[in-house]
Amino acid sequence: MRAIRYELGSDQILTLTIDMPGQSANTMNMAFREALNETVNKVQGDLENIRGIIITSAKKTFFAGGDLKELHKVTRDDAEAFEGMVNGLKAQMRALETCGKPVVAAINGTALGGGFEIALACHHRIVLDNNSIQLGLPEVTLGLLPGGGGTQRLPRMIGLEAAFPLLMEGKKLRPSAALKAGIIDELAVSPEDMIAKARAFIDANPKCQQPWDKKGFKLPGGAPHHPAMAQKLAIAPAMLKQKTKGCYPAPERIMAAAVEGAQVGFDNGSLIETRYFAELVIGQVAKNMTGTFWFQLNDINAGGSRPEGVEKESFKKVGVLGAGMMGAGIAYSTANRGIEVVLKDISLESAEKGKSYSENLLAKQVSRGRMTEEEKVQILGRIKASDSAADLEGCDLVIEAVFEDSELKAKVTAEAEPKLVNNGIFASNTSTIPITQLAEASAKPENFIGLHFFSPVDKMMLVEIIVGEKTSDETLARAFDYVQQIGKIPVVVNDSRGFFTSRVFGTFVNEGISMLGEGIHPSSIENAGLLAGMPVGPLSISDEVSMTLMQHIRSQSKKDMEAAGGTWKPHPAEAIIDQMVNDHGRKGKAAGAGFYEYPAKGKKYLWPELETLYVDSEEARKAKLRELKDRILFIQAIETVRCLEEGVLRTVEDANIGSIFGIGYAPWTGGAIQFINQYGVRAFAERARELTAAHGERFAPPALLLEHAEQDKPFI
Ligand code: NAI
C-alpha cells in the first residue's frame, strides 16, 4: 500500500489521501518523505489535467506530526544531513503550494505539529466540526519548534502577535476556536460536506497563490520594522525570558525564527527556521523533554508500571470519605469522568459544602463556554453528598481523605470496608502515614492501597500510587485503571515514609531554608529556585505548605525512626523553621505570615526582618548563583536516586514523571533522574562530592549513583 493515495477524478480534482501503511497515525518519517516526493513529481507531470488538489487522511486523525523517534536520535554529527533532509521535505510542500492550482486541506481529524504545517501549506483549510479534534503547533512543549514552515506561514497568515502564543506556548485549539483565531477557513458538518466545500473552493478559485507569494504582500499586524510592532518586539524577548528564566531555548528560537523570517522573503525565512530547528533538535533540552514528556509518559500511559494479566476494570461507583479540600477535589475529578460518587463527611452540611466545590468549578466552565448547563447538572447529579456509611453500599472503590490521623483513618476503614463490592478496593490519600501501617486496620490488606493526590486535585495531573507490603498486584492494577479512568497520570511507588514525592519535595524546601540560615539573601534563594527551573522558590512554597505542618511531619518521622532504633540527624533547616514558628509566630501563608508578608491588598513580599535576622553580608556577597542552583537541583536528584536504591521507586520513568508532575522539578531537565543522565553520571557524582565537601553529607552520592558513575552509565 502506498503512503499517499493518488486519485485523479474525471472532474480533474486530485485527491491525495495520506494513509501510512502499518501505522495507526500518519507521521513525517522516511516513508512519508519518499511518498511525498513521488507524489509531487507525479502532480507536476499531471498538472495540465489537474484543476485542484484535496489533501486528506484515511486515518482517524489527519496527521500526527514529526516522527519523534527519528528526531530523538539526531546528533550534532548528523546536523548537516538533518538540515538537508528538512529542507528537502519543505521544498516538496512548497512545490505543491506554488503549483498555481488550488490546494485544499480537508482535515478529518486532529492535526498537530507537522500535520498542521501540511495544512498551513495549503491554500484553504476545512475542518470537521468535531470537538474531539485538536489543531495547533505544540512542538515547543517538547523543546522543539515547528520546523515544517510553521514559524513562517502562521505569522504571515495572522500576524506575529497573534501567532506568538500559538507558536511559543503550543496551544491546541478545537475547530471552532481555530476558526475564530483565523488559522483555518471553514468548518464542515460531515465528511461529505467537507469534500463538497473543498470542491466548491476549487471551483471558485481556479488559480491560487498564497498571500505571501503575491506581489506587495504585507504582514498582517505589521512587519517587524513597522513602528508599532518594532516597539513591541523590543520588549518581547525580555518578557519571554521572564517566563522561561533562560531554561528553555525553544520559545526563544521560535521567536527569533518568526521575527527574523518575517524580514526576508518566504524561502529565506524557511531556511532560517530550519537552522534554528536543527539547533534545537540536537540540543540537550529537547532530548530531555522529548524523552520524558513523550517516550516515558507514553510508556506510563500505556500501562508500563501496571502489573500484567489483570483484566482492565471500569469503575462505576466510588466512595470518598472526608469532604475537605482533598476529598472535594477527588469527588470532582471522579464525577467529571462519568463515575458515580458518594461524598461522605461527618455531617450532611460538611458533605454538601464539599460538593459545592464541584459546583463552583463547573459553573466557571459553563461561564467560560467550555461546558453546557446540562453537562454541569449531569456531573453534579453523579455526586451524592452523605453523612451515612450506608450510602457506600456497592462502591467498587472507597478513598479516604479524612484528617491525617491514624486512629481516625482506622475507624473509617473499618466502617467503609464492609460496604464495598466483593473484592472492592480501599485507598488512603494519606500524605505521610505508611500504607502498610494503615492497612493493619483493614480486613483485606491485600485490597488496601495508597492513592496520593496532589492539591489542587482538579489541576494536578499526578497520582502517586503507593503499594503497601500486603497490597496485591491485582489491587495495584485496578487502582492504576481508576487513576487512568479519571484522566490522571499514575506513578507507582513502594511504601516508605514520605513515599517518593513528599520525600524529595522535603529536600528542596529544606535546602532553600538552610541557605537562609547560612546568611544568604532570601531574594537570592528564591531567584536561584526559579532560575534553576522550579515553578516557585523554596521559601514561597514553604509558606504554602505551612511550617507547622513541616514541624509535625518531622516530629512524627523522628519518633518513628527512633522507635525503629535509628538516630535522627537534624537538618540545618530545622532550626530556622523552629525560629520562624516558635519565636516569630510566622507559620506560613494560611496563618497570614511566614517567610513572606501577606498584605490584605496587594502582592506578597519577603518579610523584611529576614534580612536583619539572617542575612550575613559577607556570605550573601560570596554566594554564587550556580552553586545555589546546583544545590537545589542536586539535592532532589540525589534523594531520587536514594528512592531508586531503596526500591521506593520502581522505574526511572516514574521517577522523572513523578518529580515533574508531583513536585514541579525543573521540566527542562526531563526529571530528577534525567537531570543526572544529561549532566553526565560521572560528572554528576564528582559535583555531588564537591557539594558534600562544601555543604554536608546530605549531598553524598549514594552507592547506586557511584555504581553508575564508575562506568559512566546512564540510568534507564
Ligand atoms: P481537610 O481538613 O480539608 O478535610 C478533612 C475532612 O475530613 C473534613 O471535612 C472532616 O470533616 C472530614 N472528616 C473527619 N472525620 C471524618 C469521618 N469520620 N468521616 C468522614 N469525614 C470525616 O483535610 P485535607 O487537606 O483534605 O486532607 C485530607 C487527607 O489528605 C489527609 O490525610 C492529608 O494528609 C491528605 N493529603 C492532603 C494534601 C493537601 O495538600 N492538603 C495533599 C495530599 C494528601
Side-chain angles (χ1 to χ4, degrees), residues 321-327 344-346 401-404 408-409 411-412 429-431 452-453 455:
L321 310 181
M325 186 170 89
M326 297 305 289
K344 179 188 174 290
D345 208 295
I346 36 177
V402 300
F403 301 130
E404 190 74 344
L408 176 63
K409 288 188 188 289
K411 187 181 140 231
V412 301
N429 178 46
T430 176
S431 44
H452 182 205
F453 288 82
S455 171

Side-chain angles (χ1 to χ4, degrees), residues 20 23 25-33 63-68:
M20 306 207 43
Q23 298 183 204
N26 298 314
T27 56
M28 249 175 215
N29 56 14
M30 171 100 92
F32 175 75
R33 286 192 296 273
F63 202 104
D67 186 323
L68 290 164

Side-chain angles (χ1 to χ4, degrees), residues 400-428:
E400 72 77 14
V402 300
F403 301 130
E404 190 74 344
D405 172 325
S406 307
E407 271 175 43
L408 176 63
K409 288 188 188 289
K411 187 181 140 231
V412 301
T413 306
E415 195 177 69
E417 263 185 354
K419 313 283 179 217
L420 282 166
V421 292
N422 193 20
N423 215 22
I425 303 175
F426 191 93
S428 172

